[in-house]
Each structure stands twice: as structure tokens, then as C-alpha cells.
Amino acid sequence: MSFDNNQPLSEADKQLDGTNERLVVDVKGAVEHPGVYEMVQGERVIDVIEKAGGMTEKAAAESVNLAVKLHDEMFIYVPEQGEAEQSLPEQQNEQGDTQMVVLNRATEVELQSLPGIGPAKATAIISYREEHGAFSSLEELMNVSGIGEKSYEKLAPYLRLN
């Protein structure tokens, strides 16, 4: 297991967002060195995967949103090819409740299991999906009324398209 608790912050890390806040992130699945990594506030999934040695040749890279900003206690799972269509290990929210929602097929009840999504936002997501067809990217969720960048950042770790 890797845990970089004694590594000093580089100047680039300190300048990321003006804070020195450290995050602890767990990376598993099709990466070269699965483990727990200490990261800096403002870094993204791609940064921790690179720190874990990158994805293996068997990784289903298209199933991982590399642009999501990291948060403390985040769990990232990189599935292997073929595994993405099967059931993925579920992710956990901060309260420990298990959930992974398929955005293009989720029911109103499933959407409401996500952090910050109540009945009105769940209905808005389904209405948007019915009017515009399936979401082509997770980021498209920000086109739904009432879901901005901050809401999206909280939701993205718990969503996948298909």
C-alpha cells in the first residue's frame, strides 16, 4: 500500500488553489499500484491515477471520469475491460451509504439517493433526459436547471453514464 504522508508539498502543489489542505484517496482496480494516496486539494482523479502508476493495459479507461476534483475519503475504482458492463463495485458517500447510479437509466428514487438531489432535481434530471435524449457525458448534467458546478462535483463520483 502507498501512503505518502511524509512527502513535502511542492511549490506547484501549494499554488494549486492557495491552500495546503491534504486529501486521502483510495484507488483500486486496474491501476499499477492500488492503494491509499495523500493528495492536495484541487487535484483531480487523473492526478491520483498517475500517482498510482497509471492504468493497466486491461483498464476500461472510458468508464472513469478523469476530470473530477478529488475530495477527502474519496474511493476511485478503475474497472477492467468488460467489467464496466457488469456490476461495478459500488462507491460510498461520506455517510457510508453505498450507491452508484447509472445516469441514463436512473429512476427518480435512485436519483434521490444521491447527495443534494431531492424530488424536484430528480424530476428535472429525468425531464431533461426525456427532452434531450441520453446524456452524452456526465458534465452535461450541469445543463439541468438547478445543477451547477458545485453540485456536479459532489455528484460525479457516484454517477456513470451507462
Side-chain angles (χ1 to χ4, degrees):
M1 223 193 268
S2 300
F3 189 72
D4 302 322
N5 57 353
N6 294 321
Q7 185 178 14
L9 285 175
S10 69
E11 284 306 310
D13 288 339
K14 290 178 186 175
Q15 293 174 6
L16 256 164
D17 68 348
T19 72
N20 292 340
E21 186 175 345
R22 292 185 175 265
L23 311 172
V24 178
V25 180
D26 188 6
V27 182
K28 295 197 183 332
V31 294
E32 292 295 332
H33 307 288
V36 176
Y37 291 89
E38 193 165 62
M39 304 299 289
V40 177
Q41 181 72 35
E43 289 183 301
R44 298 181 184 270
V45 169
I46 191 169
D47 299 317
V48 73
I49 288 176
E50 286 175 3
K51 197 168 192 176
M55 293 185 194
T56 66
E57 289 181 17
K58 295 180 180 180
E62 69 279 356
S63 298
V64 181
N65 185 347
L66 300 173
V68 174
K69 285 186 180 178
L70 300 175
H71 59 83
D72 195 37
E73 300 177 5
M74 187 173 190
F75 171 73
I76 299 165
Y77 182 79
V78 179
E80 290 186 0
Q81 295 170 7
E83 184 180 3
E85 284 74 43
Q86 300 168 10
S87 65
L88 292 174
E90 296 175 335
Q91 304 214 19
Q92 293 185 337
N93 66 16
E94 293 167 9
Q95 292 77 34
D97 301 324
T98 302
Q99 57 186 341
M100 187 66 175
V101 174
V102 178
L103 185 58
N104 283 326
R105 293 183 287 203
T107 65
E108 190 170 328
V109 172
E110 290 171 322
L111 289 169
Q112 288 181 48
S113 74
L114 295 168
I117 300 295
K121 284 186 184 176
T123 300
I125 291 168
I126 291 172
S127 295
Y128 181 91
R129 191 174 63 199
E130 289 172 353
E131 287 179 31
H132 299 92
F135 289 89
S136 58
S137 70
L138 292 179
E139 293 82 1
E140 188 179 348
L141 188 59
M142 289 187 283
N143 293 338
V144 175
S145 177
I147 299 180
E149 190 174 337
K150 288 188 183 231
S151 295
Y152 170 75
E153 286 179 15
K154 289 179 184 176
L155 295 169
Y158 308 109
L159 293 173
R160 58 188 187 110
L161 286 178
N162 297 309

